[in-house]
Amino acid sequence: MRKPSFIIGKKHVILACLTLILGIAIYMNYAFSAAQDDIAAARTMSDLEVEDAVNYGDAAFVSTESDFFSQARLTRMTTRDEAVETLAAMLNGGDLSAEQTNVYTVEAVTLSKLSESEGRVENLIRAQGFEDCVVYLNGSTANIVVKTEGLVPSEVAQIKDILLNEITIPSENIRIFEVK
């Protein structure tokens, strides 16, 4: 009786990598959409002031009883840490081409830079006298949730200025939410 041979060829490795990348992409999409759903759920609470037209970049009011900011930071950090761990595991696998290694390295650096920028922007906003805030950046949009008793246009401009000094993003892609 002849033993089956288990030779793994390049095609098998490439297929496994593509499957893994697809799985990571699906997970990251789920994780990031869950964070966006948290913001959307907070916006639909009964205390939300609804305007007739959406004006991107303006402040919206949200009221919540829970410790939204701590939970939001924890969720964001966990999601990012899992994504970085997945990328690191893929990079340490050793079966990647130079091009794939470069792509994963760029993704890991991008995630790291986004996390650093979020932390700096949050610290600068709090340094301007706001009680608390949480910032979500994804490269093309920014969502900022600020704890305050009422944002005035000058404060909205101040928050945008802090953000735009840290990252380059179109002003219309900045959304600021207010939590009491």
Side-chain angles (χ1 to χ4, degrees), residues 84-106:
V84 168
E85 285 177 18
T86 302
L87 287 171
M90 291 171 60
L91 286 171
N92 292 332
D95 294 335
L96 300 177
S97 68
E99 183 180 325
Q100 290 171 324
T101 301
N102 289 338
V103 168
Y104 295 142
T105 302
V106 168

Side-chain angles (χ1 to χ4, degrees), residues 108-129:
V109 168
T110 301
L111 282 174
S112 176
K113 286 182 179 180
L114 285 174
S115 293
E116 289 176 23
S117 294
E118 288 169 340
R120 279 194 295 269
V121 170
E122 288 173 0
N123 289 335
L124 291 170
I125 290 172
R126 284 192 299 266
Q128 292 299 315

Side-chain angles (χ1 to χ4, degrees), residues 127-165:
Q128 292 299 315
F130 293 97
E131 187 175 337
D132 204 354
C133 70
V134 65
V135 177
Y136 297 97
L137 301 175
N138 73 2
S140 61
T141 62
N143 292 309
I144 303 170
V145 183
V146 181
K147 185 171 186 177
T148 182
E149 290 297 321
L151 280 175
V152 294
S154 63
E155 291 173 327
V156 172
Q158 185 180 31
I159 292 170
K160 283 184 181 180
D161 186 49
I162 290 169
L163 179 70
L164 293 174
N165 282 331

